[in-house]
Structure formats: structure tokens, C-alpha cells
């Protein structure tokens, strides 16, 4: 097949994310309520801030502002993970980052499949936070073996989905008709199943070992457990959730409210208890319930350098040493006050963040700068003279402490459990069948490339030699 009849991976991803959104809104009506609230708050924020509106018009697609930015799934076996990698590749989504959540009492390790280039991200930024269950962290050997048997017997991809994945790999893409069928087939993997593949007794034992294990092992597939639109004002949405009849998690994860947003702030509404039936001993179905699915929102800021990230991690640890947020929200105000207070030492103006080497920025020539190409000046002089401007690079990845907070609030308050911290990126990458991209190297490369475009004005070392 000729490559020019193929639709772009970005288009397949956009179609997939739209189909997933429609499915999830039908499956979880509270999520539709959250989407409507996010759209309202975004509209209010834009109305009150014409400068922001103009900037978004120029840089983003304004009408897509309230659409989903990510979702999450939890997989059970290496085979599922590696096939999922191949499925996401068809949609231009690649594994970036390694997140060890065992330290936070959640027996998984994860990556995020996401588009990587600026153009792809602008076309459609949808990504999927993907976790792999770590049965090796389960102490009970019998249960571990039983769980492994259940997982080995299930098939989470339809035969057709696999056929399209193989075809895309062979031909270097899919045409429009195949792409549409691929999206429909792949969506099946993410669908909710209200009939479990285990008995009530087995579910209970899995659940007692860890609620997350029950969520991964008990079902036919890795149902999408949340979707996450972007909000322009996360504090406002958090405050208004109760008015809409949805219960927010206790605190917003990530950095405090700031003038210059850094990294990622997230919050969610608590997972809903849903009716599920389990296999009974006599072949009949037994009524029960399961709690797994929720809705989340996110607000993103500048990507931090390793130095900035170390500062962020240190300040977050300091905050949590002062006040550990309780799941019931009883000390939420106290936690937020401590967070703002501790983060006062993190510069809150773009130039301060940049000069201290804490964040990544893109550099570009201004109109004035373009007119004087050829003249040498060092970067700071060129910026001061208005020849070069800088803009923050948006953080496109996730944060392990925040992710753990999102997991915990949706696994119930009693879920905290200690595991020995055991990051194992080597095992994860072996199971994935590929290496994950290093997020810092990625942002640094974007920054470097932008600086190189300004060569001639900027007397960088490379230019001088
Ligand atoms: C994933 C939780 C992490 C995020 O946004 O950090 C996450 C899960 O609950 O499966 O989605
Ligand atoms: Ni999430």
C-alpha cells in the first residue's frame, strides 16, 4: 500500500480520544457533569482575561481547550503491556518516563504514552498513563499464582485490533477505512465490563491483598478508569464540584496556586461504587459492587530542569513533613497554607525561573531580532535588548507523588499499605519491549533547538568557536 493513502497517526489519535470521551461520558454520567463544569469555568476565565484568550487563540486551538488531555489504564501482564505499546504507536503515542509507585503504597509501575513532537502535541495532546501491576510485590504466594493464572487466561485485545496493529506496522500506517475500524476495535479494550471474571470469594481475597489488584485481575479488560480535561482554573473547579453534586478528592495535587504555573496540578472526583456481578459457585451471577472509575482535571505549567525538579521535590517533601493531607479533607486548609508557605522560596516570575536554571524555555527572535541577524551578542544581552524572547515549555508528563495521591483517593481511605520501595525500570522496559524516553532529555533538546535557531544573535559557545 502506498504511504500517501495513510491517514496520519495524529488523526487516528484524535479520533480515538473523541470516541473514548463519548464512551466514557455514557458509562460514567458524573464525568459528563465534570466536563460541563470545566467548560463553564474555562469560558468564565477566558471572558475575564482577554490577554489569555488571545494567547490561546494564537498558540492553541481555543475550541479544544476543554477537551481531554489524558486517561489512565492498569494492565496485568507483560504481554498486555507490550501489545499496548504497539497499539499506541499506531496513534503516534510513545512511552515517556518511568514512574515507580511502590514507594507510595501502590503495587504498580507506570509510563505515559504520549505524542512527542510539538506539532503532534498541538494537533492532539491525548496521552494515557499506563500502569503495570506488580504481582511480585504481593506477599501471599498462592494468591499471586491464582491471580497470574486468571490474567494469563484473559485476552484484552480483539483479534481484529491485533490484525490492524500488525497491518499498520507492516505497511507503515493505515488508510482511513482501516483507521476507523482500528479505533472501534481498540476501544473495546477500554470498555467497562459489569460482569467480573472471578468469583465473589476470589474478588474478596484480591481486594484484601490490595484494592488495585482486584481492579486489575477481576475483569475482562483494563477499563479506562478516568479521563482528564484541561482546566484554566483548577481551584475554581475544585471549589465548585460539590455544588454540582460530585465529591472532589481532599486536596489538589502538585504545586500551589502561583502566578507562574510550574509542572502539573491535578484533582479528581472520588471513584463511584458501581454494580458488578461475580461468578457464583452454581454458575449463576452474584450481585456485588466495585469502585474504580472517576473523573479528573489538570492544569499544566512550565517543565522544570533537573535542578528545578529537585527543588520542587524538596519543597513538596518539606510540606508533607509539616502537614500530611488527610483523605477525608479535614486538614485540607492547613495543607494548602503549608504548601503556599513552603513554596515561597521557588521563584515566581518567568525571568527568575529562567535565570536560576529551574525551567525549560524556548527562545525565538523578535521582529527586531530578525532585522539584526548576523550581529553577535550574548543571550542575556540579546534578551535585554529585545532581540530574543523566551516562552515557557509546557510540562507534558506526570508526577509520581501526585499520581499516587490520585490513585489513593480513588482506592478508598483504607488503601494505604507499605511496600518496600523497589523501582525496577529494567524489568518494566523488558516487559514493555522498548526503552522509555527520558523526559528531561526531551525538554532540553527542545530548548537547545530553539537556541540554535537564534544563532548569530546569540554568541553561544558553539557559534563562537
Ligand atoms: C492512574 C493515576 C495517575 C495521573 O494523572 O497522575 C494519573 C490510575 O489511577 O490508574 O492518572
Ligand atoms: Ni490522571
Amino acid at each position: 500500500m502506498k504511504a500517501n493513502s495513510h491517514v496520519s497517526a495524529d488523526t487516528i489519535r484524535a479520533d480515538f480520544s473523541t470516541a473514548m470521551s463519548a464512551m466514557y461520558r455514557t458509562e460514567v454520567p458524573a464525568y459528563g457533569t465534570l466536563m460541563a463544569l470545566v467548560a463553564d469555568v474555562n469560558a468564565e476565565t477566558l471572558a475575564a482575561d482577554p490577554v489569555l484568550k488571545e494567547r490561546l487563540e494564537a498558540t492553541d486551538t481555543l475550541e479544544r481547550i476543554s477537551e481531554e488531555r489524558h486517561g489512565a489504564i492498569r494492565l496485568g501482564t507483560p504481554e498486555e503491556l507490550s501489545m499496548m505499546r504497539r497499539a499506541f504507536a499506531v496513534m503516534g503515542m510513545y512511552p515517556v518516563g518511568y514512574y515507580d509507585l511502590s514507594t507510595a503504597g501502590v503495587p504498580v509501575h507506570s509510563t505515559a504514552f504520549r505524542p512527542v513532537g510539538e506539532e503532534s502535541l498541538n494537533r492532539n495532546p491525548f496521552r494515557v498513563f499506563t500502569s503495570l501491576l506488580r504481582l511480585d510485590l504481593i506477599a501471599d504466594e498462592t494468591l499471586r499464582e491464582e491471580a497470574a493464572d486468571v490474567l494469563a487466561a484473559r485476552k484484552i485485545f480483539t483479534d481484529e485490533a491485533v490484525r490492524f496493529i500488525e497491518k499498520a506496522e507492516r505497511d507503515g500506517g493505515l488508510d482511513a477505512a482501516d483507521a476507523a475500524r482500528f479505533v472501534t476495535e481498540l476501544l473495546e479494550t477500554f470498555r467497562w465490563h459489569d460482569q467480573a471474571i472471578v468469583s465473589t470469594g476470589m474478588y474478596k481475597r484480591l481486594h484484601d491483598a490490595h484494592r488495585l489488584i482486584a481492579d486489575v485481575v477481576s475483569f475482562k479488560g483494563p477499563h479506562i478508569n478516568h479521563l482528564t480535561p484541561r482546566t484554566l482554573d483548577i481551584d475554581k473547579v475544585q471549589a465548585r464540584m460539590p455544588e454540582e453534586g460530585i465529591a472532589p478528592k481532599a486536596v489538589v495535587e502538585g504545586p500551589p496556586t502561583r502566578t507562574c504555573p510550574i509542572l502539573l496540578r491535578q484533582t479528581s472526583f472520588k471513584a463511584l461504587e458501581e454494580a458488578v456481578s461475580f461468578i457464583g459457585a452454581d454458575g449463576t451471577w452474584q450481585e456485588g459492587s466495585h469502585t474504580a472509575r472517576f473523573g479528573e482535571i489538570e492544569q499544566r505549567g512550565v517543565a522544570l530542569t533537573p535542578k528545578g525538579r529537585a527543588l520542587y521535590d524538596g519543597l513538596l517533601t518539606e510540606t508533607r513533613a509539616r502537614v500530611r493531607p488527610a483523605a477525608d479533607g479535614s486538614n485540607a486548609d492547613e495543607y494548602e497554607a503549608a504548601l503556599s508557605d513552603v513554596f515561597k522560596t521557588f521563584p515566581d516570575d518567568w525571568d527568575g525561573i529562567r535565570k536560576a536554571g529551574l525551567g525549560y524555555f524556548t527562545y525565538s527572535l523578535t521582529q527586531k531580532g530578525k532585522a539584526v541577524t548576523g550581529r553577535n551578542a550574548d543571550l542575556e544581552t540579546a534578551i535585554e535588548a529585545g532581540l530574543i524572547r523566551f516562552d515557557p515549555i509546557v510540562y507534558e508528563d506526570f508526577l509520581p507523588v501526585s499520581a499516587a495521591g490520585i490513585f489513593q483517593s480513588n482506592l478508598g481511605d483504607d488503601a494505604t499499605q507499605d511496600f518496600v520501595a523497589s523501582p525496577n525500570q529494567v524489568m518494566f522496559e523488558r516487559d514493555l519491549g522498548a526503552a522509555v524516553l527520558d523526559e528531561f532529555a526531551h525538554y532540553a533538546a527542545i530548548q537547545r533547538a530553539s537556541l540554535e535557531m537564534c544563532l548569530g544573535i546569540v554568541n553561544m559557545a558553539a557559534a563562537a568557536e
Side-chain angles (χ1 to χ4, degrees):
M1 183 172 299
K2 289 229 302 286
N4 61 9
S5 66
H6 291 159
V7 292
S8 80
D10 294 339
T11 304
I12 307 178
R13 180 174 67 260
D15 290 349
F16 180 73
S17 129
T18 304
M20 183 98 97
S21 176
M23 179 175 86
Y24 201 60
R25 251 179 280 191
T26 318
E27 289 183 348
V28 184
Y31 176 65
T33 310
L34 179 68
M35 285 290 275
L37 175 59
V38 166
D40 284 351
V41 169
N42 284 353
E44 285 167 28
T45 310
L46 289 169
D49 189 347
V51 178
L52 174 66
K53 185 166 181 211
E54 219 169 274
R55 189 161 60 78
L56 290 172
E57 252 160 8
T59 55
D60 238 321
T61 326
L62 191 58
E63 56 296 356
R64 286 212 319 253
I65 208 77
S66 308
E67 279 181 17
E68 284 84 2
R69 299 294 155 134
H70 83 261
I73 52 169
R74 304 155 183 172
L75 300 171
T77 67
E79 292 72 27
E80 291 174 0
L81 181 66
S82 78
M83 185 57 82
M84 197 55 91
R85 169 181 60 76
R86 294 166 63 191
F88 283 137
V90 177
M91 303 189 278
M93 297 158 81
Y94 305 99
V96 181
Y98 171 77
Y99 306 97
D100 169 38
L101 293 167
S102 64
T103 40
V106 184
V108 302
H109 48 182
S110 321
T111 190
F113 288 95
R114 68 166 177 89
V116 283
E118 198 191 347
E119 209 187 310
S120 292
L121 280 161
N122 283 344
R123 281 291 310 281
N124 181 285
F126 188 63
R127 56 211 113 190
V128 178
F129 190 94
T130 303
S131 300
L132 177 63
L133 179 63
R134 293 192 60 181
L135 285 178
D136 60 304
L137 297 182
I138 307 308
D140 180 341
E141 200 177 314
T142 315
L143 188 66
R144 199 163 64 216
E145 277 168 19
E146 276 179 288
D149 287 347
V150 174
L151 288 170
R154 77 176 185 179
K155 224 175 75 177
I156 66 166
F157 296 94
T158 68
D159 291 341
E160 279 291 276
V162 174
R163 201 174 66 76
F164 285 123
I165 292 166
E166 287 167 351
K167 188 171 184 188
E169 288 172 345
R170 201 172 50 237
D171 299 344
L174 295 175
D175 67 19
D178 281 351
R181 286 161 62 200
F182 167 69
V183 165
T184 307
E185 290 294 329
L186 190 64
L187 202 60
E188 287 306 308
T189 302
F190 296 79
R191 193 180 289 287
W192 175 246
H193 299 279
D194 59 8
Q195 293 185 323
I197 55 173
V198 298
S199 66
T200 311
M202 170 103 181
Y203 177 83
K204 191 170 177 322
R205 283 190 296 127
L206 293 167
H207 195 274
D208 288 348
H210 197 289
R211 291 170 70 133
L212 189 109
I213 302 172
D215 183 56
V216 177
V217 178
S218 305
F219 298 92
K220 188 165 169 283
H223 40 257
I224 183 91
N225 67 47
H226 68 281
L227 286 178
T228 309
R230 170 187 183 185
T231 174
L232 299 172
D233 191 340
I234 198 165
D235 297 308
K236 209 184 234 181
V237 180
Q238 170 87 347
R240 279 212 216 151
M241 272 194 233
E243 291 165 31
E244 302 294 328
I246 43 188
K249 74 185 283 301
V251 297
V252 173
E253 296 291 341
T257 314
R258 294 165 46 92
T259 308
C260 298
I262 55 172
L263 297 172
L264 170 65
R265 301 185 71 212
Q266 310 162 267
T267 185
S268 59
F269 67 74
K270 294 207 174 162
L272 309 168
E273 187 176 334
E274 300 177 88
V276 165
S277 38
F278 297 94
I279 300 168
D282 54 0
T284 58
W285 291 103
Q286 284 183 357
E287 296 304 307
S289 69
H290 180 65
T291 306
R293 302 192 300 165
F294 57 99
E296 186 192 22
I297 50 173
E298 65 172 45
Q299 189 168 12
R300 290 181 180 267
V302 68
L304 299 186
T305 60
K307 184 181 171 197
R309 178 58 183 271
L311 179 57
Y312 169 81
D313 287 340
L315 295 177
L316 192 65
T317 305
E318 195 183 322
T319 306
R320 294 169 86 93
R322 270 203 219 170
V323 185
R324 180 159 283 278
D328 63 2
S330 51
N331 64 357
D333 290 346
E334 211 185 315
Y335 173 74
E336 265 155 37
L339 190 66
S340 315
D341 188 40
V342 170
F343 269 79
K344 281 197 184 112
T345 52
F346 201 113
D348 198 8
D349 65 286
W350 293 125
D351 207 35
I353 294 172
R354 190 185 65 83
K355 284 213 179 95
L358 301 172
Y360 289 111
F361 294 84
T362 54
Y363 295 89
S364 56
L365 295 175
T366 60
Q367 286 305 332
K368 194 171 158 196
K370 281 180 190 153
V372 296
T373 306
R375 215 175 62 188
N376 276 356
D378 72 44
L379 179 62
E380 296 310 319
T381 313
I383 290 172
E384 272 160 36
L387 306 177
I388 286 176
R389 57 171 286 164
F390 59 89
D391 295 284
I393 298 176
V394 177
Y395 187 60
E396 304 290 354
D397 295 289
F398 293 86
L399 298 167
V401 174
S402 298
I406 298 286
F407 266 108
Q408 296 293 6
S409 73
N410 287 291
L411 290 170
D413 305 347
D414 59 340
T416 313
Q417 199 173 318
D418 287 330
F419 293 106
V420 181
S422 54
N424 197 335
Q425 187 167 345
V426 171
M427 182 170 87
F428 187 82
E429 292 182 332
R430 192 196 59 211
D431 292 349
L432 180 67
V436 299
L437 290 173
D438 174 58
E439 56 180 79
F440 292 107
H442 178 68
Y443 296 114
I446 298 173
Q447 174 170 289
R448 200 176 326 108
S450 76
L451 269 171
E452 275 162 16
M453 298 284 283
C454 301
L455 279 178
I457 288 291
V458 180
N459 183 17
M460 294 199 313
E465 249 84 333

